[in-house]
Amino acid sequence: MHGALTAMQEGVRIRVRGQVQGVGFRPFVWQLAQRFNIKGTVLNDPEGVLIHAVGVAIPDFLAALESETPPLARIDGIEHQPFDFCEPPEEFRIVKSEGHGTDTRVTPDAATCASCVADIFGSDPRRRGYAFTNCTHCGPRFTILRRMPYDRQMTSMASFEMCSDCAREYADPADRRFHAQPIACASCGPQLWLEHGGVHSDKDAIDRAAERLLQGDILAIKGLGGFHLACDATNEMAIAKLRERKHRPAKPLALMGRHQEIARYAVTDPASNDLLYDPAAPIVLLPTANLLPWNLAPGQVRLGWMLPYTPLHHLLMEAVGRPLVMTSGNVSGEPQVIGNEEAREKLRAIVDGFLMHNRDIERRLDDSVEQVTPHGPMTLRRARGRVPTTLPLPEGFEDVPQTTAFGGHLKSAICLLKNGQALLSHHLGDLDEALTFDEFCKADADYAALFDHDPDVFACDLHDGYQSSQHALRRAGQRPLVAVQHHHAHLASCMSDNAWPLESGAVAGIILDGLGLGTDGTIWGGELLVGDYCTFRRVLSLEPACLVGGDAAQRQPWRNAVMRLDMAGLADASDRLFAEQPVDLIRQAAAARMNSLPSSSAGRLFDAVAAVLGLCPDAQSFEGEAAMRLEALATMAPEYLQKPYPFGRQGDLLTTGPLFECIVDDLEKGISAAAIAARFHAGLAKAFAAPAVSLVSAGEAQAVALSGGCFQNATLQSAFMSALGDVPVMLHRSVPANDGGLAMGQALIAAARSVSGR
């Protein structure tokens, strides 16, 4: 790559592209220059990092530049060409940033590095116990950035004037805090305090907060991207109090623990430890050791854990000495709270006190959620620590126009394409809530401004009633707007996550999720598609069942069970299992097609099976509760994953009558609910896998892609992998399989159509 230089003192101009600003890249370059006796300059500009250098050891300098990058740097490419200096430089200098706008990346917030952890527990009084310690290798980035370029005056640290000691570190290229924009110490940086019982305490705030938590109190704790609601995770009564106050009866609560707590209360392996210790510090779903209160996650066999990722968290966890609940600080259904006054107003009915600080949060970022499956890691919620890292576009998308896609209605996210990269935004939430939609619109403007993005093409969901689709129509104006079918977008998102090239042919997509408007005007959700980035066709789907009551069918699983059982000729089982429900009324509504659209939704099929097994049949307290409980049951009887239930086949429909006949029969025989749940997972996988394999064998598809929210279910994913055998299979990794990945698929479809003319 580097080539030999033609002259001993010939200069070279080096362009480094990627995630190279705000990560200590310039001091890293400076240190390499000292090592190799290189003269010249390094600076930040809109394209990344620009180096002008001269010296005998330029080839070694270039090699080290690529192989010894700082921990948070991500290099997309290094280009170099000859350069003539007007005057030979006498030293190597870091010079002022140039230009406006950005073609480079903003670095995500990063968990506190080991050196800074050592500082806060060390002997230096400037940073011992200081909750805002950071360096170029860690700390806040995206959550404090107001606008580009990433310089201190453009962040919420602008109001904190550096003391002479911090200024000296900031100016020293040999110091790990050189140009660390959030640099601070106890004498000049942000301050922490506790508000409890009408008393404002800034002295020993951490110790006082720990005392209150150990007494069973609930505290609102200000973090990087918003407030958390915290309580003692070993205290069943405190957890119950939090659930009652937040009106969150069953949704699993995220936990924070140090290494020793996670090792005691969860089951880990090297892969999950890698995720836990990643600089992104996501919540990682881990099997429980069943030593913590049941009400942390009723009916579940896994808990979501994260390590402390700020100095504040490290200090608090050390003081408490036990795991804490750390769930999103919001009123249920609303966005996470980020401002101090906002927290006092909205969270006062939930918490007993506030652990606050005076560094402003510039954008709301929930914690990322990830898991490790037997087939690799998977992102479930892309947020803090992962955003705004960009994802490289597959081969063939290098020259597509700038594109913006607006995703769906639930788990909304926005995607921007530019310069061969995709920026998939953080999780924005469900757009039913007006405040969430406001945040969605702010995020659209925010990302466009931060990344100097002026799209030529827009994309949205085919459903024109979605808030995201209506917003896309307004934003597009006279520019092209591509309406993308929901499940085609899921397919394309999985293809892109696996770097499937633009011209590599068709893929068979097994798409299982909740709801999406089909091209025929009906509601889809359990499909086998064949398609590429431009077009698709539906080959097979689940037999539709009526969603009686519209949204009520999503909230109340028993409605779906009655429809599926009745279709199977098992009305007597419906009457027996749901004797306390108005079964005849919904039958009448279905017969009259009164608010009863037919749907092939796999998500509602999961709900139906769960309801038959008695899993929250009357109502779900959160989206996916029944399906999550069904998956948890299935993990308890793994041997039954080898005994799939049958589905029927009528033309291009997979019928569910045989499935429910077997389930009811097994219930009458006293077969365990866990065995039935496992056999259902295996049966669904076998039913879809066989026709998908046939498409690959016939040459109509080159591989199989698994996408849609149902594939967050690791047990289902494994069942499909087993049923698919040795055909090439694409799984989700960095792009969520759920609706959080829709915008990615929409953007690539719109871009592909724009360059192909289709």
Side-chain angles (χ1 to χ4, degrees):
M1 171 182 174
H2 306 117
L5 293 176
T6 58
M8 294 282 282
Q9 294 296 312
E10 182 181 7
V12 61
R13 181 184 187 274
I14 305 167
R15 160 65 63 202
V16 186
R17 303 183 191 277
Q19 186 173 292
V20 290
Q21 294 188 14
V23 296
F25 204 89
R26 289 176 299 168
F28 158 69
V29 172
W30 182 88
Q31 290 163 9
L32 288 184
Q34 309 312 304
R35 188 166 112 202
F36 293 111
N37 194 28
I38 300 297
K39 315 298 182 186
T41 61
V42 59
L43 58 84
N44 286 341
D45 70 3
E47 295 184 55
V49 168
L50 182 62
I51 305 165
H52 293 105
V54 64
V56 174
I58 286 290
D60 296 329
F61 174 73
L62 283 166
L65 197 65
E66 189 170 17
S67 63
E68 302 178 22
T69 55
L72 300 182
R74 302 289 183 271
I75 293 179
D76 293 337
I78 299 177
E79 307 152 12
H80 65 88
Q81 61 191 54
F83 177 79
D84 291 328
F85 285 92
C86 294
E87 294 182 9
E90 296 181 358
E91 60 181 347
F92 194 89
R93 296 182 300 115
I94 298 173
V95 297
K96 188 177 179 180
S97 302
E98 291 183 354
H100 300 283
T102 179
D103 286 327
T104 191
R105 301 209 286 268
V106 177
T107 304
D109 301 86
T112 308
C113 69
S115 296
C116 285
V117 171
D119 285 345
I120 65 174
F121 292 113
S123 57
D124 183 350
R126 288 181 58 231
R127 293 202 169 90
R128 176 174 175 78
Y130 184 56
F132 304 93
T133 298
N134 65 87
C135 70
T136 55
H137 304 314
C138 67
R141 302 290 199 281
F142 193 45
T143 52
I144 63 170
L145 180 64
R146 289 174 177 156
R147 57 189 180 276
M148 292 294 284
Y150 177 64
D151 290 323
R152 189 180 181 94
Q153 64 268 26
M154 302 298 186
T155 74
S156 57
M157 288 297 296
S159 59
F160 298 97
E161 185 176 350
M162 283 183 271
C163 66
S164 59
D165 288 329
C166 284
R168 184 181 63 254
E169 293 169 333
Y170 183 86
D172 182 1
D175 194 288
R176 81 172 197 275
R177 294 190 168 94
F178 175 77
H179 277 225
Q181 305 305 336
I183 187 173
C185 71
S187 62
C188 68
Q191 299 299 310
L192 189 69
W193 67 89
L194 177 70
E195 296 177 13
H196 188 278
V199 178
H200 182 293
S201 306
D202 52 9
K203 187 177 180 181
D204 301 324
I206 292 285
D207 289 338
R208 290 173 181 267
E211 289 173 9
R212 299 319 313 163
L213 289 165
L214 292 172
Q215 290 297 315
D217 279 1
I218 300 165
L219 296 183
I221 297 175
K222 190 175 183 181
L224 278 183
F227 278 78
H228 285 111
L229 303 177
C231 71
D232 180 355
T234 69
N235 185 332
E236 184 175 330
M237 291 181 64
I239 297 163
K241 181 168 66 172
L242 174 58
R243 288 195 175 280
E244 180 180 3
R245 291 181 181 179
K246 199 181 179 188
H247 307 293
R248 185 174 170 175
K251 192 173 184 179
L253 299 169
L255 305 175
M256 180 175 284
R258 298 170 299 173
H259 175 82
Q260 57 265 44
E261 281 107 30
I262 295 177
R264 177 182 179 188
Y265 293 111
V267 179
T268 63
D269 57 31
S272 58
N273 279 326
D274 285 347
L275 276 187
L276 284 167
Y277 282 94
D278 188 277
I283 296 170
V284 181
L285 300 184
L286 300 172
T288 178
N290 293 314
L291 298 174
L292 289 171
W294 67 275
N295 59 346
L296 286 169
Q300 303 302 317
V301 294
R302 296 189 298 172
L303 294 171
W305 286 92
M306 57 184 158
L307 288 164
Y309 58 82
T310 70
L312 187 160
H313 293 141
H314 280 280
L315 294 165
L316 183 62
M317 296 306 299
E318 184 71 17
V320 172
R322 62 184 65 178
L324 293 176
V325 169
M326 280 281 185
T327 191
S328 182
N330 65 316
V331 176
S332 291
E334 292 189 7
Q336 188 176 21
V337 167
I338 62 172
N340 293 350
E341 284 302 321
E342 183 187 16
R344 294 183 186 106
E345 176 189 347
K346 292 192 172 183
L347 303 181
R348 62 186 176 187
I350 301 175
V351 303
D352 301 299
F354 302 86
L355 187 58
M356 289 184 167
H357 59 75
N358 59 342
R359 184 179 67 200
D360 289 341
I361 298 171
E362 294 301 321
R363 53 185 54 78
R364 303 171 202 267
L365 284 184
D366 287 301
D367 297 307
S368 292
V369 181
E370 303 178 10
Q371 66 177 341
V372 175
T373 77
H375 306 284
M378 175 184 285
T379 296
L380 304 180
R381 183 169 74 193
R382 183 176 168 85
R384 179 197 49 76
R386 297 299 184 197
V387 176
T389 297
T390 60
L391 303 169
L393 294 180
E395 180 185 339
F397 285 90
E398 296 84 0
D399 299 319
V400 297
Q402 290 191 29
T403 305
T404 298
F406 292 105
H409 193 69
L410 304 178
K411 297 180 176 65
S412 64
I414 296 167
C415 185
L416 284 62
L417 304 188
K418 182 179 178 181
N419 294 342
Q421 298 284 323
L423 172 64
L424 182 60
S425 81
H426 60 287
H427 165 84
L428 292 165
D430 299 347
L431 300 184
D432 286 322
E433 168 59 49
L435 291 175
T436 303
F437 181 64
D438 287 344
E439 289 298 315
F440 177 88
C441 295
K442 290 177 186 176
D444 178 23
D446 183 31
Y447 279 104
L450 277 178
F451 297 94
D452 196 21
H453 195 260
D454 185 17
D456 301 298
V457 179
F458 292 85
C460 64
D461 194 272
L462 184 63
H463 196 309
D464 60 11
Y466 284 175
Q467 290 268 36
S468 55
S469 299
Q470 294 171 11
H471 177 74
L473 184 63
R474 291 189 293 270
R475 279 274 276 123
Q478 299 303 309
R479 287 171 285 185
L481 173 61
V482 179
V484 178
Q485 200 279 322
H486 192 92
H487 301 94
H488 187 202
H490 274 308
L491 171 59
S493 74
C494 189
M495 292 163 64
S496 67
D497 205 5
N498 289 267
W500 188 256
L502 177 60
E503 301 296 339
S504 284
V507 170
I510 299 173
I511 316 297
L512 306 180
D513 70 351
L515 303 171
L517 180 64
T519 53
D520 59 359
T522 66
I523 306 300
W524 295 3
E527 327 299 327
L528 172 61
L529 310 178
V530 171
D532 55 24
Y533 289 110
C534 290
T535 63
F536 77 98
R537 62 185 175 90
R538 183 161 68 150
V539 176
L540 186 72
S541 68
L542 282 173
E543 174 186 20
C546 283
L547 301 179
V548 184
D551 289 345
Q554 298 183 63
R555 295 191 302 270
Q556 300 174 340
W558 69 271
R559 293 171 179 259
N560 304 291
V562 170
M563 291 295 99
R564 289 289 177 184
L565 288 168
D566 284 10
M567 287 166 57
L570 297 167
D572 57 334
S574 296
D575 293 334
R576 184 173 68 255
L577 290 168
F578 308 110
E580 297 183 3
Q581 302 294 348
V583 172
D584 286 336
L585 284 178
I586 71 161
R587 285 173 175 151
Q588 293 170 22
R593 286 292 190 266
M594 183 185 300
N595 196 16
S596 302
L597 290 174
S599 173
S600 59
S601 170
R604 301 294 78 78
L605 178 62
F606 269 86
D607 290 351
V609 174
V612 170
L613 297 184
L615 303 176
C616 49
D618 298 340
Q620 302 187 79
S621 66
F622 64 93
E623 185 203 2
E625 180 180 5
M628 288 172 64
R629 288 182 179 237
L630 192 64
E631 178 191 4
L633 264 184
T635 64
M636 299 176 186
E639 66 276 15
Y640 283 91
L641 289 169
Q642 308 305 315
K643 301 176 181 179
Y645 280 135
F647 281 66
R649 177 78 182 263
Q650 292 181 2
D652 59 358
L653 297 178
L654 290 174
T655 60
T656 58
L659 166 70
F660 282 94
E661 288 172 4
C662 289
I663 289 175
V664 170
D665 186 51
D666 277 356
L667 278 174
E668 291 174 349
K669 291 177 180 177
I671 302 297
S672 73
I676 293 171
R679 295 190 69 189
F680 163 65
H681 280 73
L684 184 63
K686 182 179 179 182
F688 272 100
V693 170
S694 296
L695 289 169
V696 176
S697 299
E700 294 184 58
Q702 308 303 309
V704 177
L706 306 181
S707 191
C710 292
F711 283 109
Q712 297 174 110
N713 179 329
T715 301
L716 183 69
Q717 184 195 80
S718 290
F720 266 89
M721 293 300 289
S722 177
L724 286 165
D726 57 1
V727 302
V729 180
M730 300 181 196
L731 303 173
H732 280 271
R733 297 279 188 267
S734 300
V735 178
N738 59 46
D739 283 7
L742 278 179
M744 182 77 168
Q746 292 170 354
L748 269 76
I749 289 168
R753 289 178 180 173
S754 71
V755 297
S756 69
R758 286 195 274 175

